[in-house]
Amino acid sequence: MPAWTDQLRFAFQPVVNLSTGSVAALEILARPEDTDADVLASARRHPDLDAELAALAVRAAAHRQTPLPLHINLFATTVAELAPLTALGKAVHDVGRRPWEITLDVGGPFSDVPCAALLEAAAALRDEGFRICADGVGDGDLPLRLLGDLAPDLVKLDASLCRRLDTDRGPQAAVAAIRQLCERVGGLLAIEGVETERQYRAVRDAGVQLAQGHLFAPPTRRPVTEVYLPAALPPAVNGPAVPHRPPSGPPVAQFLQPAALLPMSASAGAVRSHLTGFPGVSGVLLVDGDGVPVRAIDRDRFLLSLSGRYGHALYADRPALRLADRPRTVGADATAWQVLDVIAEGDRDRTGDDVAVVDERGRCMGVVHLADILRALAESRVEEAARLNPLTRLPGSDEINGEVARRIAEGRAFALSWLDVDGFKQVNDGAGFAAGDELIRAVGRTLAQVAAGEPASRVGHIGGDDFLVLAEPDGLAPFAAALLDVAWSAGGRPVTLSLATVVCPPGAVTGHHEAAAALAPLKKAAKALPGASWVLGRPGSERTEIRRGTAAGASGPAGPGCPAPPGQEGAGARG
């Protein structure tokens, strides 16, 4: 063993799952005993030394006998030059670990690393089962193009983005953009440096799924599984927007817990020793040589079988397969609702069993607990219900504003529209409040139906007769056809609607407040036209285009960057 290893120790810091509050993994950090030692700087220059450090980290974790998944740090140069990392692979095999229990935190510098070699090496390591994490994102030299091509299983944001996340819109926009990238490539988002409860709240509000920091637990020589979690906090004022949750439910990956894995050949006695040695383990998965779950063992049913009369004598030295069930599995891209579908289709006496999450090759990535899924879905429903208008069951302006902020942060063009009923007070006065309410409900239903066929759109009900529509610039025609080109009535009285749209190219506005301010004069212009009307404009321009209304075609062409939606060029008034 090289002499420098005598001056090297390792510390363990928990990686906390913010959805479940549990420790998802341990990052292993090299700590030279001699402060004058330059081991880490040497590792940056010498890939062989860096790979040896990674192998030593795995062996150090085995010495501490922790069953948790591990995060191992490597420089990008090491990955590109030395894959398949023979020393690391040997250490993983020697200590009885499996590659899919190891996440490689690949950090910079990246500027001198051949991109093709790094991508090829990362793909080869994934084939072996290792998970790839892009480490230190936000304060290094990792190009966004390379980050997208790498499509990491995990993106870990640098601590510098966490420091001002609760107050500064710059870091908030950066985190939102990286979160969107993670959603597109199917990865999880993590952040380092959480030190205060305000930062914890901001990190959760920003949609980050995994976190590290002294608030939870500092790096220690002995692995810890107990971490500090602040009590529930109210949403931050003017803080990051609450992440949009799709109707299909939150992704199952954010509830992932470490899985207890044993080989298919494990005896019942070995399983019992594992369960009693780790009281927090709720079950064991028996896997084949590729890490594919073959059988599942529930803790309570298994221990009950062994504790019965003659149970130990009958089963202890025999294969645990005899006391196992077929595993319940879902893919890594599944949603929480799909997990419930898997549970509902199984035996009732297994309702509380863990569900294994597998990758595209069927290898186990971890498990999810039913309690975590139910709690998250219940919270999601409560939050959703609180945001819905009681009359139309549509969300209010907060959700639309949050989505506008996300699209601005992502550099996407969008069209924000304001829809209302012409003379709604007179409708209520003449036809009665019941007829007015029914009209509002009918408009809300129409908006929801059109939005269901336009995945990139969002609709909301501000209150009274005011609605918001957020869509792609070329996605407005279906809304106009369904809302403006039909006859509306309330209590037998004819009614018309007005639509005002501001089209915002990338960079045209910096926030939803500016988009709303640009929309206000367009709404006034639309209301000034008799009958069903639609006026379209853009921020910073006084030129407007009339798409519906008796004065259609009278105005000049739309300003630059404000194209007509397909099929609507030169549209005249409704007959």
Side-chain angles (χ1 to χ4, degrees):
M1 187 69 68
W4 56 264
T5 60
D6 295 335
Q7 300 297 324
L8 191 66
R9 299 293 183 267
F10 291 95
F12 302 84
Q13 185 170 38
V15 179
V16 178
N17 185 318
L18 297 181
S19 295
T20 64
S22 61
V23 178
L26 294 171
E27 180 177 359
I28 308 181
L29 305 166
R31 292 289 188 263
E33 289 286 307
D34 184 353
T35 56
D36 295 328
D38 204 18
V39 174
L40 299 182
S42 298
R44 176 178 296 188
R45 297 190 299 270
H46 303 290
D48 287 333
L49 177 57
D50 190 34
E52 185 63 31
L53 276 174
L56 286 172
V58 171
R59 297 183 189 279
H63 179 69
R64 295 296 185 184
Q65 297 183 330
T66 174
L68 288 167
L70 306 176
H71 281 234
I72 307 296
N73 290 283
L74 285 167
F75 290 108
T77 304
T78 303
V79 175
E81 293 186 10
L82 293 186
L85 299 175
T86 305
L88 176 62
K90 184 177 185 305
V92 171
H93 178 271
D94 289 348
V95 303
R97 284 279 192 171
R98 300 167 181 82
W100 45 90
E101 297 177 273
I102 310 294
T103 297
L104 303 179
D105 286 9
V106 182
F110 290 88
S111 55
D112 296 327
V113 179
C115 293
L118 178 61
L119 294 174
E120 183 179 350
L125 289 166
R126 275 204 183 98
D127 285 341
E128 293 183 45
F130 292 101
R131 302 183 72 208
I132 302 297
C133 167
D135 195 12
V137 172
D139 194 41
D141 60 349
L142 175 59
L144 281 177
R145 178 185 57 79
L146 177 57
L147 180 61
D149 291 342
L150 187 62
D153 304 286
L154 180 67
V155 173
K156 190 179 289 186
L157 300 173
D158 186 77
S160 60
L161 284 174
C162 187
R163 293 188 192 113
R164 305 187 315 278
L165 188 61
D166 58 328
T167 58
D168 195 326
R169 291 186 177 182
Q172 291 168 12
V175 172
I178 299 299
R179 188 186 69 243
Q180 176 68 16
L181 183 146
C182 289
E183 292 173 355
R184 295 288 180 89
V185 302
L188 295 178
L189 183 61
I191 197 167
E192 298 178 311
V194 181
E195 298 184 352
T196 69
E197 295 194 0
R198 288 177 62 88
Q199 290 174 347
Y200 168 75
R201 178 176 60 187
V203 162
R204 291 203 54 166
D205 287 346
V208 176
Q209 293 138 335
L210 301 171
Q212 296 171 251
H214 282 67
L215 177 68
F216 309 114
T220 56
R221 291 289 176 82
R222 294 183 178 276
V224 299
T225 57
E226 298 285 334
V227 295
Y228 170 74
L229 282 176
L233 296 170
V237 177
N238 297 324
V242 177
H244 171 67
R245 292 182 176 180
S248 54
V252 71
Q254 74 181 56
F255 306 105
L256 204 61
Q257 301 266 32
L261 307 178
L262 289 176
M264 288 174 55
S265 59
S267 68
V271 172
R272 182 180 183 277
S273 297
H274 194 88
L275 292 174
T276 55
F278 301 104
V281 173
S282 56
V284 170
L285 291 173
L286 303 179
V287 297
D288 64 15
D290 294 324
V292 177
V294 178
R295 289 290 187 273
I297 295 176
D298 176 73
R299 178 189 190 92
D300 294 338
R301 291 198 302 274
F302 178 84
L303 293 179
L304 183 62
S305 297
L306 260 65
S307 64
R309 190 176 185 183
Y310 308 122
H312 188 272
L314 284 172
Y315 299 115
D317 297 325
R318 299 192 178 184
L321 283 168
R322 297 188 174 201
L323 296 174
D325 301 294
R326 289 189 177 277
R328 293 174 169 178
T329 62
V330 295
D333 58 350
T335 66
W337 286 111
Q338 289 171 317
V339 173
L340 291 189
D341 290 340
V342 169
I343 293 173
E345 293 171 0
D347 298 334
R348 289 192 175 185
D349 60 349
R350 295 187 60 196
T351 300
D353 288 12
D354 295 341
V355 176
V357 179
V358 298
D359 64 14
E360 66 278 0
R361 297 193 178 188
R363 299 176 299 205
C364 183
M365 300 174 60
V367 296
V368 292
H369 301 323
L370 175 63
D372 292 332
I373 295 293
L374 292 177
R375 181 171 57 251
L377 289 176
E379 291 174 353
S380 178
R381 287 303 193 199
V382 170
E383 292 172 3
E384 181 182 353
R387 296 194 298 266
L388 298 182
N389 185 284
L391 190 60
T392 60
R393 308 305 294 165
L394 292 178
S397 58
D398 286 347
E399 182 163 327
I400 304 298
N401 291 340
E403 183 61 24
V404 167
R406 277 184 284 274
R407 298 191 187 191
I408 291 172
E410 294 159 13
R412 295 169 57 188
F414 63 90
L416 182 63
S417 299
W418 192 336
L419 174 78
D420 71 347
V421 178
D422 296 326
F424 186 63
K425 183 179 185 303
Q426 286 71 30
V427 172
N428 275 337
D429 291 344
F433 288 107
D437 286 350
E438 181 52 41
L439 173 64
I440 296 302
R441 279 192 287 265
V443 172
R445 285 194 298 269
T446 301
L447 281 169
Q449 289 167 1
V450 176
E454 300 289 328
S457 68
R458 301 283 187 274
V459 295
H461 185 186
I462 305 175
D465 64 320
D466 291 316
F467 297 86
L468 287 177
V469 179
L470 177 65
E472 300 287 343
D474 60 354
L476 296 163
F479 289 99
L483 295 162
L484 304 179
D485 296 345
V486 298
W488 294 92
S489 64
R493 296 167 177 264
V495 174
T496 58
L497 308 180
S498 294
L499 184 68
T501 299
V502 59
V503 176
C504 299
V509 294
T510 61
H512 67 83
H513 294 289
E514 290 185 16
L519 193 55
L522 296 172
K523 179 189 177 185
K524 183 177 180 180
K527 298 292 285 184
L529 298 174
S533 60
W534 179 15
V535 172
L536 184 146
R538 60 169 297 182
S541 174
E542 295 182 358
R543 304 182 70 182
T544 61
E545 183 175 354
I546 301 174
R547 296 295 176 81
R548 296 289 192 280
T550 56
S555 68
C562 187
Q568 297 298 323
E569 295 83 358
R574 180 168 61 88

